[in-house]
Amino acid sequence: MTAPSPSESQEERFTAGLAVETQEIERKEAVLKTGALQAAILNSANFSSIATDERGVIQIFNVGAERMQGYAAADVINKMTPAEISDPQELIQRAAAMSVEYGTLITPGFEALVFKASRGIEDIYELTYIRKDGSRFPAVVSVTALRDSRGVIIGFLLIGTDNSAHRRAEAALLKATALQNAIFQSTHFSCIATDTAGVIQLFNVGAERMFGFSAADVVNRITPATLHDPEEVVARAQALSIEYSRPISPGFEALVFKAARGIEDIYEVTKVRKNGERFPAIVSVTALRDPLGVIIGYLLVGIDNSARKRAEELLLKAAAHQAEIGQQLNAELEQRVGERTLELKAANQELEAFSYSVSHDLRSPLRAIDGFSQVVLEKFGPLLPAEGQRHLRTIRQSAQKMGDLIDDLLTFARLNRQELGKRPFNTTDLVWECLQDLGYPWSDRQVEVTVDALPVSVGDPVLLKQVWLNLISNALKYSRNREKSLVHIGSETIDGVVTLFIRDNGTGFDMRYADKLFGVFQRFHRAEDYEGTGVGLAIAHRIIQRHGGRIWAEAAVDRGATFHFTLQGGAKT
Amino acid sequence: MNPDGLVELLLVEDNPQDLELALLALTEALPLTHIHVARDGREALDFLLGDDQRASARTHALKVILLDLKLPKIDGLEVLKRLRTDDRTKLIPIVVLTSSREQRDVVESYQLGVNSYIVKPVNFERFTDAVRNILSYWSLHNQPPKITG
């Protein structure tokens, strides 16, 4: 190989390379032809034509090469080899592969690109070119050695085409094919394609499995309508006829009518297998169109819905079962509640009858005891010794006491049954009303009553008046031995809860017995010291309890007592 | 006023002790009283609404009826109801005199048209007082309507 002289023009060298020794005319024709070919090649914008000298230095870089590679001819001619605009990684691989193939070391440069061509082997390969801006594109390159008349290689010609579009198409095709294959090999979907008339053209593996037909049984033979429950097809045709107000035949037309109008159509149907077995399916129908949008067939993709239907049915059954159980429970509960209500009503009525007869019948004999004792005293008093008269008076007192006890017990018993008529009311007014009922201002003793401005209460005013009456009369009763009774009624807020209190300067009580304070018939004082039935505080306690509040007391022997209560829980435990 | 110039009243009471005490209290309160006694509801109705001519005459003479509520055979409320729905007796003053202080008895008695409701006190003096007040009120102070027919 000789080094090219820089003075030689490209054309001279190229022409020289293509020259053949023929007769003059033939030679002329040949030259003409080569000239035309040469011009065509050089001017083609769709091929990159790169000619090098025998060492690889670029000598020709045509328009196509300029366009594809982004270099100007001046950038590369006599400056670069094609190896420099190729992917170096690919060159290394190519060199390595050929080194193995030919058992000789091939350098991963220009030699790797032209080794085969230099041995007279036709060499067309794919290669990634790198543009001037660094971007890459796939190219198919054909390499030819340029030889002089003696066959000596004087350079190489690399003709390349941009392979990007082809590659993209290939990739797309590959994808489409893969997708199609996946769809048609799928055993879970039935894919049935038909021609415009509905005759099956394609019947995938899934369809074969689902229907029990082989593709050969159905392709070019039947329409998918045959695989549907005929009654459903009729019903569907009727429904569509009404919806679109035009007759639609109960066959294939009914299945694809909507899809043919570009309407997405997914519906549930019952399909029929080859053996007559039926199964529920969900079917999606699409029209297949050519590039101009003309319908060339239909694709019906179906999925067996049996499992879901079964699950649905099971769920429905379970729900129904549950509802039934629920109803049963409800009925039982209602019955029980009804029974209990009746029992309670009966119990209440019994109690009512009981207390009625207590109030009526127990009082009569007491009245007789008292009345006839009095009659004896009046009529026969002078005949009796003083002691006999005193005994009769004791009998009368006892009878009257028992009358009071009966009244208090009845009031107490009634508290549990009585409904609360809750409403807001003026507490201060109620307290003064009670004081007046109890004889305020007392002329026979010294009492100093202080009533603070009290907050509005919400509760049953009748029952709460009973509470205040009991508490105030207690305060008056147990402080009556003082020179001057002091009664203070006020309110305070304890832990955010409004609390009412009544304080006296009376005899008080021992806090050790505080827990017995509110029990029925619990008395802290001897009956002869302080009259009373021992029910008053129990009544107050019950009324407060029924309001959802609390009542408690603080006291010390001989140092007065304070009763606190709330109407809404809270405060002190 | 009857021909003898006595105040006439009807006492409807089944309990013998209560009856005796009531009679004691009444005679003590107003000596010039003629007290008719009925021992149950049936007797009271027969006395007031009997078919004979005398029933009507008796009824006309009455100043007041003292009526217990808890009575054998026909109870007090039923007696009250029948007396108030009968033209012959609907205007006669009736006072319920009972041991019951139950609200429903009070309310129902007034709804049926009673003129007064008195709870018998256990204490005999108070009982006597109550009876005396009833009598003086209804037989002396009260102006009854003129009953015709």
Side-chain angles (χ1 to χ4, degrees):
Chain A
M1 277 193 228
T2 55
S5 141
S7 61
E8 278 173 338
S9 81
Q10 293 178 41
E11 290 200 23
E12 273 167 352
R13 290 197 56 218
F14 200 56
T15 312
L18 291 174
V20 282
E21 265 183 61
T22 52
Q23 287 188 340
E24 191 56 22
I25 289 168
E26 283 175 328
R27 202 187 65 87
K28 269 188 184 159
E29 279 177 355
V31 167
L32 207 70
K33 267 190 201 163
T34 4
L37 186 66
Q38 205 178 323
I41 289 171
L42 280 175
N43 292 324
S44 164
N46 295 322
F47 295 92
S48 87
S49 298
I50 303 171
T52 70
D53 60 20
E54 77 283 1
R55 289 174 309 158
V57 179
I58 294 171
Q59 299 301 318
I60 295 177
F61 199 77
N62 84 333
V63 189
E66 283 184 324
R67 200 179 62 88
M68 273 182 222
Q69 312 277 4
Y71 290 98
D75 293 337
V76 296
I77 289 173
N78 281 326
K79 291 182 182 159
M80 295 169 83
T81 78
E84 286 168 89
I85 55 171
S86 303
D87 182 346
Q89 213 54 44
E90 281 182 16
L91 285 180
I92 292 168
Q93 279 169 17
R94 194 174 158 77
M98 284 193 300
S99 298
V100 172
E101 190 178 346
Y102 294 98
T104 170
L105 187 70
I106 297 163
T107 56
F110 183 68
E111 192 183 1
L113 292 180
V114 298
F115 185 82
K116 278 189 179 177
S118 66
R119 264 149 195 77
I121 301 161
E122 191 191 7
D123 196 8
I124 297 176
Y125 53 85
E126 283 190 34
L127 178 73
T128 303
Y129 275 132
I130 297 172
R131 296 195 184 91
K132 190 181 181 181
D133 64 8
S135 64
R136 307 152 76 92
F137 68 97
V140 174
V141 182
S142 152
V143 189
T144 324
L146 300 173
R147 296 169 194 269
D148 64 13
S149 48
R150 293 179 309 276
V152 175
I153 290 175
I154 55 169
F156 296 93
L157 176 64
L158 295 87
I159 297 177
T161 56
D162 186 338
N163 206 25
S164 313
H166 182 69
R167 271 288 182 82
R168 272 199 301 274
E170 226 176 42
L173 192 69
L174 208 71
K175 253 194 224 165
T177 315
L179 192 68
Q180 231 172 2
N181 278 342
I183 289 172
F184 287 117
Q185 295 306 316
S186 161
T187 53
H188 299 295
F189 294 90
S190 75
C191 288
I192 303 172
T194 72
D195 60 18
T196 48
V199 179
I200 293 174
Q201 301 300 313
L202 194 144
F203 201 74
N204 82 333
V205 181
E208 286 182 327
R209 222 195 63 171
M210 226 178 260
F211 292 98
F213 286 104
S214 74
D217 290 338
V218 294
V219 170
N220 278 326
R221 284 171 199 261
I222 61 170
T223 83
T226 320
L227 304 170
H228 281 69
D229 176 66
E231 278 176 30
E232 277 185 18
V233 177
V234 171
R236 190 172 160 79
Q238 274 172 357
L240 285 169
S241 300
I242 292 165
E243 192 179 343
Y244 291 92
S245 39
R246 48 170 291 187
I248 290 160
S249 66
F252 184 68
E253 191 186 2
L255 299 184
V256 300
F257 186 84
K258 278 191 175 177
R261 269 142 200 84
I263 302 161
E264 189 190 6
D265 198 8
I266 296 176
Y267 50 87
E268 282 195 57
V269 288
T270 305
K271 297 220 178 192
V272 185
R273 291 189 228 276
K274 190 179 181 182
N275 64 8
E277 233 175 77
R278 304 151 74 86
F279 67 97
I282 293 177
V283 179
S284 151
V285 186
T286 324
L288 301 173
R289 293 167 193 271
D290 70 9
L292 292 175
V294 177
I295 293 176
I296 53 169
Y298 296 95
L299 176 67
L300 294 89
V301 179
I303 181 165
D304 187 337
N305 206 25
S306 312
R308 221 187 73 182
K309 266 283 163 74
R310 265 200 304 276
E312 256 174 27
E313 272 163 25
L314 275 176
L315 265 177
L316 273 175
K317 251 191 225 168
H321 188 58
Q322 237 169 6
E324 206 180 303
I325 290 176
Q327 266 170 1
Q328 253 172 26
L329 278 176
N330 248 353
E332 267 172 44
L333 209 65
E334 258 167 47
Q335 198 189 335
R336 249 192 268 167
V337 169
E339 281 168 10
R340 285 305 286 278
T341 308
L342 279 181
E343 277 171 30
L344 270 175
K345 256 189 195 162
N348 243 346
Q349 273 167 359
E350 250 169 59
L351 252 175
E352 203 119 318
F354 172 75
S355 61
Y356 184 85
S357 94
V358 165
S359 79
H360 196 276
D361 296 345
L362 280 191
R363 256 197 287 260
S364 288
L366 284 177
R367 199 163 37 248
I369 293 169
D370 185 67
F372 286 105
S373 302
Q374 178 61 16
V375 171
V376 169
L377 277 172
E378 276 178 16
K379 285 193 175 172
F380 312 107
L383 301 176
L384 281 173
E387 204 181 345
Q389 290 186 18
R390 192 175 61 79
H391 288 329
L392 274 176
R393 275 191 289 275
T394 306
I395 291 173
R396 289 198 64 201
Q397 272 167 17
S398 301
Q400 281 162 32
K401 174 81 185 290
M402 191 165 169
D404 291 343
L405 277 171
I406 289 170
D407 286 347
D408 279 357
L409 271 182
L410 282 175
T411 306
F412 183 70
R414 215 173 280 133
L415 283 177
N416 283 334
R417 293 177 279 138
Q418 199 165 329
E419 270 179 42
L420 293 183
K422 279 194 184 183
R423 63 177 178 82
F425 62 85
N426 186 316
T427 317
T428 316
D429 287 354
L430 186 83
V431 166
W432 277 111
E433 204 181 302
C434 292
L435 285 165
Q436 247 123 41
D437 286 359
L438 292 169
Y440 177 89
W442 301 269
S443 51
D444 54 339
R445 54 185 283 202
Q446 280 235 12
V447 183
E448 188 184 306
V449 177
T450 312
V451 182
D452 298 342
L454 302 172
V456 167
S457 297
V458 179
D460 187 318
V462 176
L463 292 178
L464 290 172
K465 184 179 178 181
Q466 189 65 53
V467 172
W468 280 113
L469 279 173
N470 292 2
L471 293 177
I472 295 170
S473 60
N474 270 359
L476 291 170
K477 185 160 72 182
Y478 294 108
S479 64
R480 71 180 168 208
N481 289 336
R482 303 295 181 205
E483 206 173 303
K484 188 183 195 181
S485 301
L486 299 174
V487 178
H488 178 201
I489 295 169
S491 76
E492 59 201 325
T493 302
I494 302 174
D495 295 335
V497 178
V498 174
T499 308
L500 296 156
F501 67 82
I502 173 166
R503 181 171 297 133
D504 65 59
N505 63 338
T507 53
F509 57 86
D510 190 333
M511 280 299 278
R512 278 181 296 177
Y513 307 122
D515 58 322
K516 290 186 176 159
L517 203 55
F518 299 101
V520 183
F521 294 140
Q522 295 288 346
R523 293 185 48 97
F524 281 18
H525 306 277
R526 288 183 307 194
E528 59 261 45
D529 291 341
Y530 293 100
E531 72 290 345
T533 57
V535 185
L537 283 179
I539 288 174
H541 182 245
R542 180 61 54 88
I543 291 172
I544 295 300
Q545 233 180 10
R546 288 214 54 203
H547 277 80
R550 282 184 23 76
I551 183 166
W552 69 97
E554 285 160 2
V557 174
D558 222 30
R559 292 177 58 188
T562 305
F563 283 84
H564 304 263
F565 70 91
T566 72
L567 291 180
Q568 48 196 339
K572 235 185 136 173
T573 49
Chain B
M1 199 85 55
N2 75 350
D4 307 326
L6 296 177
V7 171
E8 291 200 31
L9 60 89
L10 172 64
L11 177 61
V12 190
E13 174 63 77
D14 67 313
N15 183 308
Q17 283 89 42
D18 273 5
L19 177 61
E20 195 178 343
L21 287 175
L23 289 174
L24 276 171
L26 285 169
T27 45
E28 205 172 285
L30 210 73
L32 296 176
T33 312
H34 183 73
I35 303 166
H36 302 278
V37 174
R39 301 297 304 274
D40 60 49
R42 177 81 269 155
E43 249 183 66
L45 289 176
D46 284 349
F47 178 86
L48 293 163
L49 303 171
D51 289 332
D52 57 312
Q53 282 284 310
R54 280 162 49 216
S56 150
R58 283 195 302 261
T59 305
H60 272 91
L62 289 178
K63 282 281 186 187
V64 65
I65 298 169
L66 299 180
L67 180 64
D68 192 8
L69 287 185
K70 208 173 176 213
L71 295 170
K73 296 181 185 170
I74 300 174
D75 77 12
L77 289 172
E78 182 62 29
V79 171
L80 180 58
K81 194 163 147 191
R82 294 208 200 163
L83 293 181
R84 280 300 178 243
T85 48
D86 194 299
D87 282 343
R88 293 169 285 176
T89 50
K90 70 177 177 191
L91 294 176
I92 300 179
I94 300 176
V95 174
V96 163
L97 186 62
T98 176
S99 294
S100 167
R101 54 175 83 227
E102 292 283 322
Q103 266 305 297
R104 54 175 185 161
D105 281 343
V106 179
V107 171
E108 199 172 345
S109 296
Y110 274 104
Q111 273 170 350
L112 289 173
V114 82
N115 298 80
S116 187
Y117 189 105
I118 308 290
V119 178
K120 295 177 193 166
V122 167
N123 182 297
F124 184 68
E125 280 103 344
R126 301 229 302 269
F127 180 64
T128 312
D129 265 3
V131 170
R132 185 181 296 134
N133 285 336
I134 294 166
L135 274 186
S136 65
Y137 180 84
W138 290 105
S139 61
L140 301 178
H141 303 301
N142 188 53
Q143 180 63 56
K146 215 179 173 77
I147 300 168
T148 55

